[in-house]
Amino acid sequence: MDLPSREERTWGMLCHLGIFIGHFIPLGNFLAPLIIWMIKKEESDFVDYHGKESLNFQISMLIYLVIAGIFAFVLIGIPFLIGLWIFSLIFVIIAGVNANEGKYYRYPLTIRLIK
């Protein structure tokens, strides 16, 4: 299999690392990968794959965070909230690096709603 072009790898990486814009713009962690995916999915199978993977991971993290948030009312969820934040941070960076290297990366513990 041929290595994706430099541009495809950059867009694939941005699908993952673009979620950090959510620290500055509400819902940016969904909007950044969604916008990139919607614009580039027809041009590149590589970007299409990484856009879907990133969105699925963000949706899964939201579900897990809501569940942990509910359990936080009984204090058991607080360590889970912290753990999910660290887990997300680590695996988003790993996914971004893999995309930049031209690899197809699959997040662990991801519910794949977007096929």
Side-chain angles (χ1 to χ4, degrees):
M1 183 172 8
D2 291 332
L3 189 66
S5 71
R6 184 77 190 131
E7 182 180 356
E8 289 176 306
R9 289 182 284 153
T10 299
W11 283 113
M13 177 185 65
L14 289 174
C15 285
H16 299 288
L17 300 183
I19 67 104
F20 292 118
I21 204 164
H23 292 288
F24 307 104
I25 298 172
L27 298 176
N29 59 319
F30 292 104
L31 293 176
L34 178 64
I35 291 168
I36 293 168
W37 177 62
M38 294 297 289
I39 292 171
K40 295 291 185 177
K41 69 180 178 180
E42 301 297 325
E43 297 175 27
S44 167
D45 290 337
F46 185 76
V47 178
D48 180 43
Y49 174 85
H50 283 283
K52 287 189 275 191
E53 194 67 20
S54 180
L55 285 168
N56 282 326
F57 184 69
Q58 291 306 310
I59 293 167
S60 298
M61 286 291 98
L62 177 63
I63 292 168
Y64 301 147
L65 288 169
V66 167
I67 293 168
I70 292 168
F71 283 115
F73 287 111
V74 291
L75 300 178
I76 193 171
I78 294 172
F80 287 114
L81 287 169
I82 295 167
L84 282 170
W85 182 78
I86 294 168
F87 175 83
S88 176
L89 178 69
I90 290 169
F91 283 99
V92 164
I93 292 170
I94 290 170
V97 169
N98 276 279
N100 194 43
E101 293 174 352
K103 298 175 184 171
Y104 289 84
Y105 181 78
R106 285 180 67 92
Y107 286 100
L109 304 176
T110 299
I111 304 165
R112 290 183 171 71
L113 300 171
I114 301 171
K115 302 280 181 195

